[in-house]
Amino acid sequence: MARILTGTQSSGRQHLGNILGAIQPAIELSKDPKNESFLFIADLHSLTSIKDGKVINENTHATASAWLAMGLDTEKTVFYRQSDVPEVCELAWILNCFTPFPMLENAHSFKDKVSNLAEVSAGLFTYPVLMAADILLYDANLVPVGKDQKQHLEMTRDIAGAFNHRYPGTFILPESKISEETMTIPGIDGRKMSKSYNNYIDIFLPEKELRKKVMSIVTDAKTVEEPKNADSCIVYQIYSLVAGQDEDLEMRRNLEAGNYGYGTAKQVLFEKLMSAFAYEREKFNHFYIDRSKVENELKKGAEKARDVSGPVLARVRKNLGFNLK
Ligand code: TYM
């Protein structure tokens, strides 16, 4: 049996990058009866970028609706909101005291975010430690994530290893699970799709807005008649992630042959997104309007999560010999 764990921040709506890079792979793993899954919404992490709790709550609801719409089964999965499990904050503090300062200074995501922000909080700096606590608090074995989280997983292992060195047998060292094809989904400008770059596609948008978003994908200035390079075409790159093999080949051939404009390719991509996610779009709306149902699921999930987090935190305190109750 493997314990699978992953989370997504509620710093905005869940986009195609989150869905293909983490949500779908995690839900697939959760379907294997040999696995036990802990899937959560990292609302405390969102405080590093959003300072208004009401906005975070709204995003948390949309994020939970997205997970449920994508097929998360709350009977088979522990699905919860990070802040409903306060043990994570105590563990994060303990781990902070075992984390070398230079390790955090070297975090890529910190360096990236710092360059875009006017104010930098200590929370942003210690973000990877809270993430390590998220994972270690549940004895997770496998963490499905996109490539941008790889370094955070390495840090988690390093922090756990350093702690285990002093207090053997305390933590399980988790492995990241990153799929080659979906590890970095491009955004509409070709950079990594990301909430912070505002270059993302939200597949749950109303039809008109979704179409507008797809139509705004950046392309080069080639005319309709000219042959195009499929591999460097963002429309094709995104299409090939959601289309079947034959459809993928067809768009590639069309682009390479010429007399096939980017506008047509975008329309084909838009229609594909609408059909591929038709069922999920409907389910998203169903959950999104039923706030109390979603809230109920998260509360039930938190209770199950705390059945695990309490004993693990007690083990950490015991091994540390700290304030034993
Ligand atoms: P977040 O909310 O930025 O992203 C959630 C998940 O989506 C993946 N992802 C992508 N994958 C492929 N292509 C993209 N363009 C893309 N954009 C996002 C991310 O890699 C991630 O797996 N720190 C985490 C949340 C977190 C977490 C954890 C994850 C907090 N605690 C514990 C795993 C375990 C984050 O900010 O993800």
Side-chain angles (χ1 to χ4, degrees), residues 41-186:
I41 301 167
D43 59 339
L44 290 169
H45 276 108
S46 308
L47 265 178
T48 59
S49 56
I50 301 178
K51 307 299 171 194
D52 183 341
K54 291 201 193 80
V55 175
I56 296 180
N57 292 345
E58 198 50 46
N59 291 338
T60 298
H61 175 60
T63 301
S65 303
W67 272 101
L68 292 166
M70 292 312 297
L72 183 152
D73 180 348
T74 52
E75 292 297 315
K76 298 192 183 127
T77 307
V78 182
F79 179 50
Y80 58 102
R81 169 174 35 213
Q82 185 186 32
S83 65
D84 284 337
V85 185
E87 287 82 4
V88 77
C89 293
E90 180 175 336
L91 181 59
W93 178 254
I94 294 173
L95 298 178
N96 260 311
C97 298
F98 286 80
T99 303
F101 188 86
M103 182 197 279
L104 297 178
E105 275 183 309
N106 283 328
H108 308 312
S109 80
F110 177 70
K111 288 187 204 160
D112 284 354
K113 285 184 179 149
V114 159
S115 56
N116 289 326
L117 286 176
E119 271 175 49
V120 177
S121 68
L124 187 68
F125 188 65
T126 59
Y127 180 113
V129 185
L130 179 57
M131 184 159 159
D134 285 329
I135 299 168
L136 301 176
L137 189 57
Y138 298 94
D139 288 339
N141 307 110
L142 209 57
V143 184
V145 282
K147 191 179 165 208
D148 59 352
Q149 300 299 318
K150 186 169 185 265
Q151 193 191 28
H152 288 156
L153 260 297
E154 284 160 5
M155 289 177 168
T156 301
R157 287 175 63 88
D158 287 348
I159 297 168
F163 196 98
N164 281 355
H165 187 68
R166 280 183 92 120
Y167 303 107
T170 306
F171 292 121
I172 288 178
L173 263 56
E175 306 265 348
S176 59
K177 188 165 190 338
I178 301 173
S179 128
E180 192 71 34
E181 305 89 70
T182 57
M183 64 185 187
T184 308
I185 309 297

Side-chain angles (χ1 to χ4, degrees), residues 187-191 213-224 226-238 251 255 260-267 269:
I188 59 169
D189 58 0
R191 292 186 292 171
K213 200 69 181 182
V214 173
M215 291 299 157
S216 65
I217 296 175
V218 175
T219 54
D220 61 31
K222 290 217 167 74
T223 61
V224 173
E226 283 176 276
K228 300 166 183 71
N229 180 347
D231 293 319
S232 62
C233 171
I234 304 163
V235 185
Y236 171 75
Q237 286 167 11
I238 299 176
M251 184 182 281
L255 284 165
Y260 185 83
Y262 289 124
T264 309
K266 287 177 186 179
Q267 179 63 27
L269 170 59

Side-chain angles (χ1 to χ4, degrees), residues 8 68 74 84 86-87 116 118 169 197 236 241 277 304 319 322:
T8 62
L68 292 166
T74 52
D84 284 337
E87 287 82 4
N116 289 326
Y197 299 150
Y236 171 75
L241 292 163
F277 294 109
K304 291 195 256 173
N319 291 3
F322 181 72

